[in-house]
Amino acid sequence: MAIATPSDIREAAGHARDAQQRWQGLPFDNRARVIRRFHDLILGHRERILDTIQAETGKARRDALAEVVTVAGTARYYLAHGAEHLETRRRRPAVPAITSAEIIYKPHGLVGLITPWNYPFLLGIADALPALLAGNAVLLKPSELTPLSAVLARDFLVESGLDSNLLAVLPGAGDVGTELIQHVDYIGFTGGTVTGRKVAVAASARLIPYSLELGGKNPMVVLQGAPLADAAAGLIAGAFSNSGQTCISVERVYVQETVYDEFTRRVLEKTSALKLGWSKSWDIDMGCMISREHAAKVLGRIGRAVGEGARVLAGGKARPDLGSSFVEPTILTNVADTMPISREETFGPVITLYPVRDADEALARANDSEFGLNASVWAKSETQARAVARQLETGSAAINSTLLIYNSFDVPMGGVKLSGIGRRHGEHGILRYTQAQSIVSSMAAGGGYDAMLMKVRSDRMADVLICLLKWMRRLGM
């Protein structure tokens, strides 16, 4: 596939801005018709999409299906609630009866999105949908490793009636993203923290708004009384789905020592039953890493941890019999909090298990991280689990689940600390693509609010005004 040049980006930006002016002027329902057709189209062409995703990534077919399901869910959510989130909002005025205030939401104009390889169809288009519904045009730079899934998504949108100039896919490496930032009014980035910092600097230099969803070192807490069979199943899904190449993958597991042995036994039992491979059949549980290089990186992390004293309970090896980039699902124990495997994002199928005395120790160690994206809590009661979840320093926390946040479309998703800035999903996920404009109004009769202030020309009139302000406070105005 041809790599986008600076002139390609400039040309795409010019065409997009022209098309955006017409698109912005359409009623929301007109824009929604395109997204509604897109929703139905991708469900009808499921097999083609799954084949493309698998060919680019090597993931299991059910992990590819998760991308289609989440894109469709994102579309349905904003079709149902996008207009509500964007509607004009009345606000408390300066002085009741003689003034009014409202907020309107205008599209930024041209949105840039830089997306990663781990979910090339999902992340290549899901964030673009609310941007388009808000009235923007989009320039999209997918990962150079997985451009075809994003191109396919764009093709389905055009087939659904979207002006082809409203969404341009610009393949290439990091230099394409650097150039793209120079031509847009807003930039959204999903990827690693190192690159995220560079995106933030470039956006700040232009004083354009941005959002960053970055890395995670996501903890899971399992306390005495938790349903251990369910927790073990949740951990397998949360750690090994997409071969662990998920921003919200569980990597650290803090288990109360009274249930540690039993929980570990259940996890090992489920891990040993996983089927690895690359196939279009639905009986494969885990596919490969995105590349040979990434597989070597993950194996290097495991090897270093073992060299520092960690013990391998399961996995830990390459599977060259299956392909050059397969890594076994791996469980490590005897891992110190100071080891890199405890502190740095692995982004692969690797779990580290830690016994803890109680919930307080679990919280302290879970929060001892530079990252704060997602967490999972399993306890005897939902009340206890919620109490723990509220103390976790993460942008989201799931109770009795690990990956639920990604399909909870009405709540914001994003990170704290080094895990990012900004949120997707819910009203945040569409309002981030807009500029809020405040419009205030004063009744013209008697010269209006400004004239009233100018009439204060004595201590007595000032006293009347102060008295009015005091009464307004008492009335909660």
Side-chain angles (χ1 to χ4, degrees):
M1 176 171 288
I3 301 303
T5 65
S7 62
D8 292 333
I9 298 170
R10 289 193 297 270
E11 183 178 358
H15 291 319
R17 288 193 182 280
D18 289 341
Q20 188 271 333
Q21 290 299 311
R22 297 186 295 273
W23 179 249
Q24 176 183 355
L26 295 176
F28 180 90
D29 286 346
N30 290 41
R31 300 195 293 268
R33 287 192 197 107
V34 174
I35 308 305
R36 191 172 295 112
R37 287 194 290 266
F38 169 77
H39 171 276
D40 296 344
L41 199 59
I42 64 171
L43 295 183
H45 290 79
R46 179 191 76 187
E47 297 302 316
R48 180 182 172 192
I49 298 170
L50 299 186
D51 288 348
T52 302
I53 295 171
Q54 283 195 286
E56 286 201 298
T57 65
K59 65 176 63 181
R61 200 160 184 83
R62 69 183 185 190
D63 290 330
L65 178 64
E67 298 200 42
V68 178
V69 169
T70 304
V71 170
T74 301
R76 287 197 310 276
Y77 174 80
Y78 285 112
L79 287 170
H81 302 286
E84 170 193 343
H85 294 326
L86 294 170
E87 69 182 6
T88 298
R89 304 184 186 189
R90 298 297 295 268
R91 285 293 183 261
R92 187 179 300 278
V95 181
I98 67 169
T99 65
S100 65
E102 65 182 19
I103 304 171
I104 64 171
Y105 296 98
K106 297 180 177 181
H108 289 298
L110 185 54
V111 167
L113 296 174
I114 301 174
T115 61
W117 46 258
N118 59 326
Y119 287 92
F121 187 80
L122 164 56
L123 293 173
I125 206 63
D127 286 342
L129 298 179
L132 290 167
L133 282 170
N136 297 281
V138 176
L139 300 185
L140 168 63
K141 192 209 88 66
S143 167
E144 63 272 25
L145 299 177
T146 55
L148 297 180
S149 296
V151 170
L152 181 59
R154 188 255 187 190
D155 288 346
F156 280 130
L157 273 168
V158 172
E159 187 176 342
S160 300
L162 186 75
D163 184 328
S164 60
N165 291 314
L166 282 170
L167 175 58
V169 177
L170 302 164
D175 56 337
V176 174
T178 300
E179 180 67 23
L180 183 149
I181 295 172
Q182 304 308 310
H183 299 277
V184 298
D185 306 310
Y186 177 99
I187 188 71
F189 172 80
T190 303
T193 300
V194 172
T195 304
R197 289 182 187 275
K198 297 177 182 178
V199 171
V201 169
S204 298
R206 292 196 57 230
L207 293 180
I208 62 171
Y210 60 88
S211 60
L212 310 170
E213 189 195 280
L214 308 178
K217 193 66 181 174
N218 307 296
M220 176 174 174
V221 175
V222 182
L223 300 177
Q224 181 176 323
L228 297 184
D230 293 341
L235 174 57
I236 297 301
F240 299 143
S241 291
N242 208 44
S243 303
Q245 300 169 122
T246 303
C247 60
I248 57 174
S249 286
V250 176
E251 294 199 9
R252 300 177 291 148
V253 187
Y254 300 97
V255 187
Q256 194 161 2
E257 55 193 14
T258 52
V259 295
Y260 179 85
D261 290 342
E262 174 63 15
F263 179 74
T264 301
R265 183 189 67 77
R266 291 176 181 271
V267 171
L268 290 173
E269 183 179 89
K270 291 182 178 298
T271 301
S272 66
L274 294 175
K275 184 177 180 181
L276 278 64
W278 192 94
S279 168
K280 292 183 180 180
S281 71
W282 294 95
D283 64 342
I284 296 295
D285 296 303
M286 202 179 92
C288 61
M289 302 286 95
I290 186 64
S291 66
R292 186 179 307 176
E293 293 74 20
H294 188 61
K297 181 179 178 180
V298 171
L299 289 167
R301 291 280 179 90
I302 297 170
R304 178 175 177 179
V306 172
E308 293 173 337
R311 186 161 64 94
V312 178
L313 297 184
K317 300 176 184 176
R319 289 292 303 272
D321 56 315
L322 299 175
S324 61
S325 54
F326 279 86
V327 175
E328 292 178 331
T330 300
I331 300 173
L332 302 176
T333 189
N334 197 40
V335 178
D337 291 344
T338 54
M339 291 182 183
I341 197 75
S342 287
R343 310 204 70 79
E344 300 172 2
E345 183 179 40
T346 304
F347 217 64
V350 181
I351 298 168
T352 52
L353 295 176
Y354 310 83
V356 294
R357 292 184 305 277
D358 51 28
D360 288 341
E361 183 184 352
L363 275 167
R365 295 175 71 176
N367 288 336
D368 182 21
S369 173
E370 293 183 312
F371 297 101
L373 188 56
N374 188 50
S376 173
V377 182
W378 302 74
K380 183 176 182 180
S381 68
E382 186 170 339
T383 299
Q384 182 188 21
R386 285 186 181 277
V388 171
R390 288 170 178 162
Q391 297 178 72
L392 286 164
E393 297 169 0
T394 55
S396 58
I399 294 171
N400 296 335
S401 177
T402 50
L403 304 178
L404 182 60
I405 184 62
Y406 224 108
N407 289 97
S408 301
F409 301 110
D410 198 36
V411 296
M413 175 189 172
V416 298
K417 302 181 183 178
L418 295 188
S419 289
I421 296 171
R423 297 291 185 267
R424 58 165 53 99
H425 292 173
E427 67 173 4
H428 298 74
I430 193 167
L431 292 183
R432 64 173 169 157
Y433 296 124
T434 67
Q435 294 279 15
Q437 181 183 24
S438 301
I439 298 178
V440 295
S441 175
S442 174
M443 293 179 60
Y449 177 76
D450 299 333
M452 180 186 74
L453 289 179
M454 293 300 294
K455 290 177 181 178
V456 178
R457 296 185 178 275
S458 69
D459 288 343
R460 183 175 180 182
M461 294 178 69
D463 290 341
V464 171
L465 179 59
I466 295 300
C467 183
L468 175 62
L469 294 175
K470 290 179 178 179
W471 274 105
M472 290 172 64
R473 196 273 298 165
R474 290 170 184 164
L475 293 173
M477 300 172 66

